[in-house]
Amino acid sequence: MPLHEATTREIALADPDGRPGRMVYDVYDGQSPMLLLVHGLGGDATVWEHLLASLDDRGAIVVDLPGHGRSKIAPGYRVSIAQFAEVLQQVAAAERASGLVYIGHSLGVPIGRELIQRHPNTLSALVAIDGPVGALPVDLGLRLTNPLWRLPFFHFLLGKFVDAVCGKHLHEDERNRVAALAEQTDRNVFLQLVRTLPAVRSATGPRLTLPTLALVANNFQYANIPISVWQSWVDQVTVKNVPGGHYLMLEQPALLSSAIKEFLADC
């Protein structure tokens, strides 16, 4: 199911101060339940192309979050996890879609948690790719570097960010692709979101009751969450450790596809 077979759509947005933006997303016709795929910080819809190709004829909505990829926004546009969740709800409403299976990567996972809490009927299941849905201790390195995310340090820290998320196992071409996507992300959005990461990792909320598949990268310590922690967050959770770094959908699309198909068959 290559990306060029999608129908591309968009909706108009406005931030809390009325600054305009747009949300661009691709829709694939296919089998139900339809998937909703949401990338992480510094990504876009193209990070899913290998996984989509492995999921046969499954219907899917694949988004570029505001400030990422094709979803352009006005200067100074304000973003948050909650705002992203509401934008995704707008997309679901525009497509008259409910009972979606949410597949989120990294920051896309807490966005999914927020969507579940705000609009519980929109989703029927959650697939979390190397990202948390509940409270974790905030990493000391993140605490120390968080105040440095300012324009004078941006490119230096962006390089460190890419090195961390790619690890040693991602092919050079894919690593360069991840770096290019991060560079193309709206800088103001990137700065807003990276400064909120400690709050995201410390976020709390009620236990999730949706069936959940947690795919955890063995070689990315930041999101390597023990099974016992997942069980404290979610009533019905299956945790699978996957060899690879943070961008599992680029490194291991066949393994992820197999795990997701098995999960959907059991839901």
Side-chain angles (χ1 to χ4, degrees), residues 134-150:
L136 283 174
V138 177
D139 180 79
L140 177 60
L142 183 58
R143 285 186 183 276
L144 293 175
T145 60
N146 190 264
L148 298 179
W149 281 95
R150 302 291 187 272

Side-chain angles (χ1 to χ4, degrees), residues 156-171:
F156 171 76
L157 289 175
L158 186 64
K160 297 296 183 183
F161 172 86
V162 171
D163 288 340
V165 299
C166 290
K168 300 177 181 179
H169 304 276
L170 196 61
H171 189 277

Side-chain angles (χ1 to χ4, degrees), residues 75-188:
Y77 192 98
R78 289 168 52 196
V79 298
S80 67
I81 300 298
Q83 188 244 18
F84 282 164
E86 289 300 332
V87 169
L88 292 175
Q89 179 61 24
Q90 290 181 51
V91 170
E95 297 302 318
R96 299 181 180 178
S98 62
L100 296 165
V101 174
Y102 186 99
I103 302 180
H105 172 242
S106 191
L107 193 66
V109 178
I111 295 170
R113 177 202 63 214
E114 187 77 16
L115 179 59
I116 292 167
Q117 293 175 355
R118 288 168 173 263
H119 303 280
N121 294 326
T122 298
L123 305 180
S124 62
L126 170 68
V127 178
I129 301 177
D130 223 36
V133 296
L136 283 174
V138 177
D139 180 79
L140 177 60
L142 183 58
R143 285 186 183 276
L144 293 175
T145 60
N146 190 264
L148 298 179
W149 281 95
R150 302 291 187 272
L151 290 181
F153 306 98
F154 183 81
H155 287 288
F156 171 76
L157 289 175
L158 186 64
K160 297 296 183 183
F161 172 86
V162 171
D163 288 340
V165 299
C166 290
K168 300 177 181 179
H169 304 276
L170 196 61
H171 189 277
E172 183 179 358
D173 289 345
E174 298 289 9
R175 185 200 180 282
N176 292 338
R177 176 185 182 182
V178 171
L181 291 176
E183 285 279 0
Q184 293 162 13
T185 300
D186 183 278
R187 188 172 299 182
N188 178 56

Side-chain angles (χ1 to χ4, degrees), residues 8 14 22 27 52 71 111 152 159 190 233 257 259:
T8 300
R22 64 176 182 165
V27 180
L52 283 171
S71 295
I111 295 170
F190 203 106
W233 291 339
S257 173

Side-chain angles (χ1 to χ4, degrees), residues 36-48:
L36 174 59
L37 292 95
V38 181
H39 61 80
L41 177 60
D44 73 0
T46 64
V47 301
W48 299 110

